[in-house]
Amino acid sequence: MENKMQFYNTLSKKVEKFIPNEDGKVAMYTCGPTVYHFAHIGNLRSYIMEDLLEKTLRYVGYDVKRVMNITDVGHLSSDADTGEDKMLKGAKREKKSVMEIAKFYTDAFFADCAKLNIKTPDVVEPATNCITEFIATIEKLIETGFAYEAGGNIYFDTSKLQEYYVFSNQNEKELLVGVREDVEEDENKRNKSDFVLWFTKSKFDDQELKWESPWGIGYPGWHIECSCISMKHLGEYMDIHCGGIDNIFPHHTNEIAQSEAVLGHKWCNYWFHVHHLNDKAGKMSKSKGDFLTVSLLESKGYNPLVYRFFCLQSHYRKPLEFSYEVLDNMTSTYEKLVKRISTLKKEGKIDQEKFAQYREQFEAALSNDLNSSMAITVLYDMLKADISDATKYALAESFDEVLSINLTTAVQAETTDTGVDAEMEAYILEKIEERKAAKKEKNFARADEIRNELLEKGIIIEDTREGVKWKKA
Ligand code: AMP
Ligand code: ZN
């Protein structure tokens, strides 16, 4: 199939034409959430942009298989194998078992994704399901000399690789800063950059989840899970691996090290990384404790899809700063947009030529390193253009397969709650205002008249303490 798509590949540090291993097919992997707490809207920015990438690939014609892991074991609070186990920390905080915490926050994660119209990947696999695969891979790494046992743990030996820092020209020292806020030297490591594949000498006596292994009872490191889960479902070759930029080092660097060591060939061709969402205090992170969630936005009256719209307005390779002021502006822009689309008359002839022309412009924007704000500009241009309503409506419906912000259903969804269409709703509200004014002027006869006019149209109004309410008769 013709390759139109190009995007930035962290591996080559260039915007590259996308050529999958198998024509027309895409094997895609996403690092899933660590389920010890709710996802914050920063995490969800990454998942929204990865969802956009997947949907764009499908839209331009690829058959995508996307796999995601759920990190329910092994992720320590410092990415450099030190600190507390994040899951254990969550369980202690809530006085529950690790598995209870994992189940609760996995469900919460997918509930948030659903509110943001993020498609669930084709395969979702929790790390605790794949212990046998992890052990088999680690055994192979020991056999081939890429891993060693020291002090009861199994480590990957990074000195055995021709190149370890595949993503960066930085030196080891520079890279280790940042991941090592809580520096704690592990004397078992032969090289500073070596990392744990399997822990048996856990520093936590109360580590809940442990499994038998050839090296003793223990649990896996974080990095090995993504290598094994992706190979289990996508095989030896992968096209695109996604994650937030904080995953580049050490997580993705270590994934490549162990995967290519075990496979003996290049593993993944394209690395797609989403930049961070920041608030005024800097990068949003779960460990900060106080963070923004989808539920919090909802409790403040925001539509989660307005947050998605906000993310789509900026490029995935730029840091994005969150503020309520911007979200307020986005809310009114979004509402105007969906209202405008709701007034389009769906019935009528679709101008196929115009449809193809705008669809091509939309695809071109997204195929150009996922320029989502440009894709939204194409949407606005199309709505302004001199083409039939039916064509506009069909295009909005089509673009929403990728943008997923309920362009054609948002307004209807509002009115299904009330059971009337947008035009009728506007009429009712206008009449209610008119009646209020009449009552204020003590013109009760006119107020009653308005009540009857509405009743004739099948609408009952009630005066309540919270104000005037209406419903269908
Ligand atoms: P975690 O649940 O911590 O494993 O992170 C889930 C995903 O969110 C990973 O892909 C991270 O790289 C990404 N992520 C973490 N913090 C942010 C942030 N502030 N903005 C965008 N993505 C983030
Ligand atoms: Zn991962």
Side-chain angles (χ1 to χ4, degrees):
M1 106 181 218
E2 191 203 343
N3 295 304
K4 297 186 206 166
M5 187 77 189
Q6 52 171 20
F7 58 89
Y8 184 84
N9 184 359
T10 314
L11 206 55
S12 64
K13 299 176 197 68
K14 279 199 290 263
V15 172
E16 264 186 76
K17 195 170 176 167
F18 175 62
I19 304 167
N21 285 308
E22 213 179 313
D23 192 30
K25 290 200 169 168
V26 182
M28 184 172 173
Y29 183 82
T30 299
C31 289
T34 310
V35 283
Y36 72 111
H37 218 318
F38 290 107
H40 56 65
I41 59 170
N43 300 128
L44 291 160
R45 180 194 187 195
S46 287
Y47 295 113
I48 288 171
M49 300 320 279
E50 291 163 7
D51 182 66
L52 182 78
L53 173 64
E54 176 187 345
K55 287 177 178 163
T56 300
L57 290 163
R58 291 186 191 274
Y59 197 70
V60 301
Y62 289 104
D63 177 8
V64 182
K65 178 171 177 187
R66 178 154 169 224
V67 177
M68 181 196 269
N69 68 307
I70 298 288
T71 301
D72 53 1
V73 68
H75 195 169
L76 306 191
S77 47
S78 158
D79 287 347
D81 297 335
T82 62
E84 205 172 357
D85 180 311
K86 292 189 180 194
M87 292 303 296
L88 200 59
K89 198 167 147 186
K92 278 188 193 157
R93 186 186 62 232
E94 298 184 20
K95 300 191 176 51
K96 289 188 182 144
S97 72
V98 165
M99 284 328 271
E100 277 169 339
I101 291 282
K103 161 108 185 61
F104 179 81
Y105 288 113
T106 303
D107 292 347
F109 172 73
F110 286 111
D112 284 345
C113 287
K115 287 177 190 164
L116 292 164
N117 284 347
I118 296 170
K119 179 185 167 293
T120 303
D122 304 290
V123 179
V124 176
E125 181 97 85
T128 49
N129 268 6
C130 302
I131 303 297
T132 335
E133 284 87 350
F134 304 158
I135 292 175
T137 305
I138 298 168
E139 277 185 312
K140 202 163 169 198
L141 287 170
I142 296 175
E143 265 165 45
T144 47
F146 283 103
Y148 59 92
E149 187 173 346
N153 292 337
I154 308 296
Y155 294 85
F156 186 90
D157 187 344
T158 53
S159 70
K160 293 278 155 50
L161 299 168
Q162 281 190 342
E163 195 193 2
Y164 171 62
Y165 296 108
V166 283
F167 286 119
S168 175
N169 305 321
Q170 285 166 291
N171 64 35
E172 181 181 340
K173 232 178 170 174
E174 274 172 334
L175 281 165
L176 289 177
V177 176
V179 277
R180 294 206 153 198
E181 285 151 6
D182 46 355
V183 184
E184 203 173 308
E185 269 327 314
D186 180 345
E187 283 168 6
N188 295 319
K189 292 186 183 183
R190 288 183 192 162
N191 314 287
K192 254 189 167 173
S193 50
D194 290 357
F195 53 92
V196 180
L197 297 166
W198 187 269
F199 292 93
T200 68
K201 286 285 171 290
S202 164
K203 9 185 232 161
F204 331 115
D205 299 333
D206 48 357
Q207 181 71 21
E208 255 179 68
L209 298 179
K210 288 182 242 181
W211 294 265
E212 293 278 355
S213 83
W215 321 286
I217 293 173
Y219 61 99
W222 172 37
H223 316 298
I224 195 74
E225 66 178 85
C226 287
S227 294
C228 294
I229 293 174
S230 63
M231 282 183 217
K232 178 174 172 186
H233 298 285
L234 298 170
E236 288 190 16
Y237 295 91
M238 205 198 317
D239 296 303
I240 309 174
H241 193 310
C242 314
I245 46 160
D246 57 315
N247 282 163
I248 296 176
F249 186 85
H251 185 49
H252 290 165
T253 306
N254 292 351
E255 278 188 43
I256 295 177
Q258 61 204 4
S259 300
E260 297 192 353
V262 88
L263 292 170
H265 58 71
K266 191 170 178 187
W267 173 48
C268 176
N269 291 332
Y270 299 86
W271 289 81
F272 176 86
H273 289 112
V274 181
H275 278 243
H276 282 148
L277 179 80
N278 301 313
D279 54 21
K280 289 202 173 71
K283 175 188 172 244
M284 204 167 281
S285 79
K286 289 188 209 176
S287 51
K288 279 192 195 163
D290 185 22
F291 54 78
L292 287 170
T293 59
V294 168
S295 310
L296 184 69
L297 293 186
E298 279 185 306
S299 72
K300 289 182 186 283
Y302 293 101
N303 175 351
L305 290 182
V306 169
Y307 177 65
R308 183 175 174 115
F309 186 53
F310 164 64
C311 291
L312 297 179
Q313 296 278 12
S314 92
H315 197 251
Y316 75 94
R317 276 202 292 129
K318 287 200 182 118
L320 180 60
E321 190 170 307
F322 176 83
S323 75
Y324 284 111
E325 295 76 47
V326 180
L327 208 59
D328 287 337
N329 290 338
M330 284 293 156
T331 300
S332 75
T333 313
Y334 175 75
E335 283 174 356
K336 272 189 216 142
L337 175 64
V338 290
K339 205 115 215 162
R340 182 165 178 187
I341 294 171
S342 76
T343 62
L344 296 172
K345 292 190 183 58
K346 291 182 237 176
E347 299 76 24
K349 210 168 157 271
I350 296 171
D351 181 337
Q352 294 301 342
E353 204 177 306
K354 290 286 176 199
F355 185 94
Q357 183 191 321
Y358 279 101
R359 187 181 161 129
E360 201 178 305
Q361 281 183 30
F362 181 75
E363 284 186 15
L366 290 169
S367 299
N368 181 13
D369 197 19
L370 223 60
N371 193 339
S372 46
S373 69
M374 180 57 87
I376 292 172
T377 304
V378 174
L379 167 69
Y380 277 105
D381 288 349
M382 175 280 281
L383 290 171
K384 272 188 264 162
D386 186 18
I387 51 177
S388 73
D389 269 17
T391 312
K392 288 182 184 176
Y393 189 87
L395 279 162
E397 211 166 34
S398 169
F399 293 177
D400 207 47
E401 286 171 33
V402 183
L403 301 177
S404 299
I405 44 175
N406 293 3
L407 285 174
T408 57
T409 52
V411 174
Q412 273 100 322
E414 265 171 34
T415 56
T416 43
D417 294 344
T418 57
V420 300
D421 65 21
E423 207 178 317
M424 184 63 180
E425 191 177 349
Y427 168 81
I428 297 166
L429 297 178
E430 195 184 304
K431 285 288 158 190
I432 289 175
E433 284 309 308
E434 208 181 312
R435 181 168 168 270
K436 259 196 228 164
K439 278 174 101 179
K440 216 170 168 186
E441 289 164 9
K442 305 220 181 309
N443 187 350
F444 297 110
R446 176 67 193 137
D448 284 347
E449 228 174 75
I450 295 169
R451 178 194 288 275
N452 289 336
E453 275 173 35
L454 283 168
L455 200 58
E456 270 169 35
K457 295 205 169 356
I459 302 299
I460 300 173
I461 51 172
E462 286 170 319
D463 295 305
T464 74
R465 259 202 260 169
E466 293 87 45
V468 184
K469 297 225 164 116
W470 64 270
K471 61 180 185 204
K472 278 183 85 176

